[in-house]
Amino acid sequence: MAPYHIRKYQENDRKRVIDLFSMAKAEHIPATFRHILKLPQTLVLLLGGPLAVTLVSGSWVLAFVASLALLAALRFLAKYPWKQFVVMSLHTDMSDITKSYLGERGSGFWVAESKGQVVGMVGALPVKQPTLRKEQLELLHLCVAPEHRGHGIAKALVRTVLTFARDQGYGEVVLTTSMLQHSALALYQRLGFQKTSQFFLLKRWRLISFSHIQFTYCLPSAQDSQALEQGGGL
């Protein structure tokens, strides 16, 4: 494994960061497509649709064409949430990373660099309306290049955010991830994040049972932090 180090984002990282971000989201499209194909309503549609076409038209060719059209539509449906998220991000916080994440105290954006190339990233912004009167920091856009996974980079990036949040006086770190990002779900749970809710970001995503999960990490008090540092914690 090539050595890596984590540092703050610089403006000349932008192209690689955006490429990495976009590729990471596109990777989830096949899993989303498989998820949609397994839904009961999808099976009914894929079997019943072509059968209805055959009964009405008497043509197996038209039924075959209908099947292909349905699969193409379902593939588009699988792409939609991820493409929409990328577009939305590139028009909001990711449009100017320096301004969004490094312009004020209490937020940050970090990259993992190996051999002069950005191979991972994570951002963090304060939650505007924290619950329970605790100051919350939201972890955003965690991703690692495929060829560099399995070496602890994602864990190191998350720990960077946790340490930053503790040093800045936050009470909790929160994040949201989709139900289909199984590796991310396992990582957050191993690091001590607790699942707090599961919901649909948009009502129409109920149609494909595509939900998101929110996790919360409760940061220790100042006294507990000292004990963690002495014991090799965060």
Side-chain angles (χ1 to χ4, degrees):
M1 170 191 167
Y4 69 89
H5 68 279
I6 295 173
R7 59 170 174 79
K8 283 189 176 182
Y9 168 87
Q10 299 171 3
E11 195 56 39
N12 57 8
D13 297 323
R14 177 172 173 77
K15 184 180 185 306
R16 174 59 180 166
V17 163
I18 297 301
D19 288 345
L20 185 60
F21 170 66
S22 301
M23 288 187 294
K25 299 310 170 188
E27 284 180 1
H28 301 304
I29 294 173
T32 307
F33 185 51
R34 290 192 296 270
H35 165 74
I36 294 173
L37 289 178
K38 293 176 182 178
L39 296 173
Q41 58 266 38
T42 302
L43 296 176
V44 171
L45 183 64
L46 288 174
L47 294 174
L51 180 60
V53 171
T54 302
L55 292 175
V56 171
S57 67
S59 171
W60 285 102
V61 174
L62 284 179
F64 179 70
V65 171
S67 296
L68 292 180
L70 282 173
L71 287 172
L74 293 172
R75 179 72 177 180
F76 173 81
L77 194 60
K79 289 181 180 180
Y80 181 75
W82 304 108
K83 296 293 185 181
Q84 185 188 47
F85 181 70
V86 170
V87 170
M88 180 187 70
S89 297
L90 293 179
H91 282 84
T92 53
D93 62 304
M94 296 288 281
S95 64
D96 188 337
I97 297 173
T98 300
K99 181 179 179 181
S100 298
Y101 288 89
L102 303 177
E104 296 181 8
R105 184 177 180 275
S107 58
F109 200 99
W110 300 265
V111 298
E113 185 179 61
S114 178
K115 294 184 177 180
Q117 184 179 36
V118 172
V119 298
M121 56 181 266
V122 70
L125 289 173
V127 177
K128 293 181 180 179
Q129 295 180 333
T131 60
L132 303 176
R133 297 184 180 179
K134 287 187 177 181
E135 293 295 320
Q136 294 179 322
L137 184 70
E138 184 174 12
L139 185 151
L140 297 157
H141 307 317
L142 174 69
C143 60
V144 176
E147 64 274 18
H148 291 273
R149 292 173 190 165
H151 302 299
I153 296 177
K155 182 188 293 186
L157 286 165
V158 174
R159 287 188 178 277
T160 297
V161 173
L162 295 178
T163 299
F164 174 80
R166 182 199 64 193
D167 293 345
Q168 293 291 314
Y170 287 100
E172 295 176 340
V173 175
V174 297
L175 63 89
T176 301
T177 189
S178 82
M179 58 178 282
L180 299 178
Q181 293 174 258
H182 303 298
S183 297
L185 293 172
L187 171 65
Y188 297 136
Q189 290 174 319
R190 285 198 305 271
L191 289 173
F193 283 82
Q194 300 295 316
K195 177 180 174 181
T196 52
S197 64
Q198 187 164 353
F199 58 94
F200 296 98
L201 283 177
L202 298 173
K203 289 183 179 180
R204 59 179 172 268
W205 289 0
R206 289 179 181 270
L207 296 173
I208 58 173
S209 300
F210 184 71
S211 64
H212 282 70
I213 301 170
Q214 186 174 65
F215 285 93
T216 300
Y217 185 97
C218 294
L219 290 157
S221 64
Q223 291 180 343
D224 291 336
S225 295
Q226 286 184 340
L228 275 174
E229 288 176 352
Q230 293 172 359
L234 291 180

